[in-house]
Amino acid sequence: MKNSIELYRLRLKLLKKGQVLIIPVVATALFIGIMYSMAPIGVTSSFLLSAAFMYFVCVFISMTLNGKENDVFEETLMLHCKKPLNYYVSREILLIMQCFGYALILTIFPTVLFLFKSSMFIRPIGKLDITFGGFYIFLSGLCGMVTGDFFHPRLIQKRKDAILGAFVVTVLSICKEGLTEFFAPLSALNFVLPPFMNGFKLVGNTDIFEPHGMLLIFLHMAVYTIVVVCLKIWMLEKRRFRY
């Protein structure tokens, strides 16, 4: 694990020197400024919209990061790893920490806003709202991270094909409920697509996070993330470098 942390710190230093995070930071600031400027604000809807936004931001971040990976540099990192797994763990830690940072901002902002100006919201924000909303945002981000990183240049060499793949997966994830109603066998999409939109169906117009339903969604998100990460690592190990 120590070797993975050292590699993560090296990756983080390189990330800070680049300009990868400029667009996500600006987009997040604009999103927060626009969404929380119009009262009254629904409590659950604010968290759900933040989660959907988080998914898109994390897809962008992961695809930008893997698109900038250099085979020579990555091979050097691989040679300094005690185990190949340490190399892949360092990649995942970087993605997770990026996701955690944005999720924290999107969770804390409405909480602080409520403390200073509660009249902005249609009802009080409770501890369960913050807990479920925060977890939903974070796990939606993880779904976005693993989805974007799955379309890695070592797996799909043409960048436009990778972007198209991520776009198709995202669109299907948004439209899967309607597609399932139109053609029942398409319900299988629920098991292979990122479930970042499931919370919208559960909450509906109630403006309440139903604990049992949210826990099932969290479990679904966690399983999806783990399966996609494991599959991605296995495929990347089979094709270590693109040339």
Side-chain angles (χ1 to χ4, degrees), residues 9 19 28 31-32 39 43 60 62-63 66-67 72 92 94 100 109 117 129 145 180 190 200 203 211 243:
R9 288 174 178 170
Q19 300 179 344
T28 302
F31 172 79
I32 290 175
V43 175
F60 175 83
S62 60
M63 294 195 74
N66 65 36
V72 175
E92 300 308 319
L94 181 65
F100 179 77
F109 188 88
K117 198 173 182 180
D129 296 317
M145 283 291 189
T180 300
N190 289 317
F200 288 84
V203 172
Y243 302 115

Side-chain angles (χ1 to χ4, degrees), residues 217-229:
I217 292 176
F218 292 161
L219 178 61
H220 188 178
M221 287 178 158
V223 171
Y224 172 83
T225 299
I226 293 171
V227 170
V228 173
V229 167

